[in-house]
Amino acid sequence: MPDLSVIVPIYDVKAYLPACLSSIAAALPDTITAEVVCIDDGSRDGSGLIAADVARQDGRFRVIAQPNGGYGKAINTGLHAARGRYVTIVESDDLIVSGVYRTLLDLLDRDPGLDFVKTAYQPFTDAGPLPVMAVPADKQSAADLMALSRDVLRHRTFAGDTAIFQAPAIWAGVYRKAALDRYRIVLPETPGAGYQDTCFSAMCFLNGMTYHWVSDTYYMYRVDRDAASRHVRNRRSEIVTLFGHVRDNLDANGGLCDCTATYFYAVYFRRLIWFMQRVRPDHRFALFIDAYRAFEGAWRDPGLRGAVQALLPGQEAVQFDQFWQGRAGALYAA
């Protein structure tokens, strides 16, 4: 069994893929047994051939080709095929910095009750790096935590800090495969690359998976590829479908307690605000109505509604109150 499985979903990224795969190979030290599972999701530009060529030269790489099924399908194929004790994801236009995988795996190995390690990450463009994102308030690194004695070191769950409210960034972390299997963490297989990673992140946190959030920055996240899903401004109601998937998963794993429900709706609302700006203008009101119905559980319970609002910062708390009263025009204005 390998120590680490690196899942790389690939679709029409010929210009970026060689650098991505080279960076992964360089980031895996000899002290880690690793496999790199490349999922060619029906690429039409020869990306699959690039991955296959790398696999012929480096036995740690293997390629699984499938008809195009979208980002969720590609990740699920990788999760099903992964043989490692731990799993991480690298998107095929991004880059990995050497030197951190060994430390993150050591941190996970030290505590069998730890389900994943979440890290900061470095957005970048061809012009250079942008400010580091998702840095924990205490700025502790994995090495800092490793230096603490076991009786002092405590892992966290979703109510322990603000990690759940950061961008999903599912690739900026390493996950214990057994924990993902235990909570049945899979992505919805909706078409394209419509923010299915939101589901993965929300399910990991809200199922109570334990984690450390560290300041290490090994993941270089490209933000200037025009074809990336984050730039698409023609969405419809995918966010409702995605959080329906999260809710179904939580129900299958025991349902929502009071605390989980509060965070579920708070995270849902914050993602809804962000997603609304990526929805085609003529569909924003329809999404508003669909989402309003999806929040029925919060509307029926004044205590829950108040607790959700209390978790939201500043203007978002005001918007949530307006949303409840059905007059949040700013959410869906074109």
Side-chain angles (χ1 to χ4, degrees), residues 124-129 224:
F124 77 102
T125 70
D126 285 337
D224 60 348

Side-chain angles (χ1 to χ4, degrees), residues 215-230:
S215 62
D216 301 73
T217 306
Y218 73 97
Y219 197 96
M220 303 289 291
Y221 176 58
R222 183 180 295 277
V223 295
D224 60 348
R225 184 166 72 92
D226 291 340
S229 64
R230 59 186 166 276

